[in-house]
Amino acid sequence: SPSVDAVLTAIQAVTGEAGCLLIVKNYTGDRLNFGLAAEKARRLGYKVEMLIVGDDISLPDNKHPRGIAGTVLVHKVAGYFAERGCNLDTVLREASLAARSTASIGVALSGCHLPQEAESSAELGMGSHGEPGAATIATHNSGEIVRLMADKLAAALPKTGRLAVMLNNLGGVSVAEMAILTAELAKTPLHARIDWLIGPAA
């Protein structure tokens, strides 16, 4: 996590009359440092609100889910309302609704490997700081992996409603492999509900 001083400096650099919304992934260090910086900023007269995002659904019984890739969509919603000139309370309210409506699940190899040295297993639900996932799964069948992720997302989402889906890659997966994963996503029951797909270009 950035230090309290670094966060405070950023708040001071960007906060105007309208105020500042801190959107923070749900990790202990981030919550502490951003929270302390927000308190210091308020004491200095800045209008600051903080939103904690916990979109990771890989551990269904986790009372404090981690913040992962879906946080990007929360940023987008907050930015949209801020750009329209809405006040800080409105931006916070709409971003909070977006955060509550967002569910994410990830899968990652334990490290970066050349294709001929690829691991035979992966972590389902690995945290963005490398924390262990919910399960270790085989990597030899991309269709099964995507179906497993889609099933877990479907269980965490409302049964009806349209979806925006972000297929995210942190750089360890080739363009061709991302195209395969996108095609596998189109074979899942989620496909019929997807209005927007954010991810690799076709």
Side-chain angles (χ1 to χ4, degrees), residues 185-199:
L185 175 63
K187 297 175 186 175
T188 69
L190 286 182
H191 179 254
R193 298 174 58 189
I194 297 174
D195 280 349
W196 300 277
L197 177 65
I198 305 158

Side-chain angles (χ1 to χ4, degrees), residues 15-141:
T15 304
E17 226 175 275
C20 174
L21 175 61
L22 303 176
I23 299 174
V24 182
K25 295 182 183 75
N26 191 22
Y27 291 93
T28 303
D30 293 328
R31 287 196 320 265
L32 287 172
N33 288 359
F34 279 83
L36 288 170
E39 286 179 19
K40 285 187 172 187
R42 289 184 196 112
R43 284 199 297 270
L44 292 171
Y46 292 93
K47 191 190 308 182
V48 180
E49 295 287 352
M50 189 165 90
L51 171 62
I52 306 292
V53 180
D55 54 311
D56 183 13
I57 55 95
S58 63
L59 299 166
D61 298 325
N62 188 357
K63 293 178 181 176
H64 303 286
R66 301 172 292 199
I68 54 175
T71 308
V72 170
L73 301 179
V74 179
H75 283 270
K76 286 290 192 180
V77 169
Y80 171 79
F81 285 96
E83 191 173 46
R84 293 183 69 191
C86 296
N87 62 31
L88 183 57
D89 289 340
T90 301
V91 175
L92 174 60
R93 184 188 70 228
E94 298 298 334
S96 297
L97 176 60
R100 290 193 303 273
S101 303
T102 302
S104 300
I105 188 167
V107 63
L109 298 175
S110 58
C112 180
H113 302 276
L114 296 173
Q116 65 269 24
E117 299 172 347
E119 292 282 344
S120 60
S121 64
E123 292 280 338
L124 179 69
M126 179 179 278
S128 60
H129 298 129
E131 302 88 348
T136 301
I137 58 175
T139 60
H140 61 275
N141 190 311

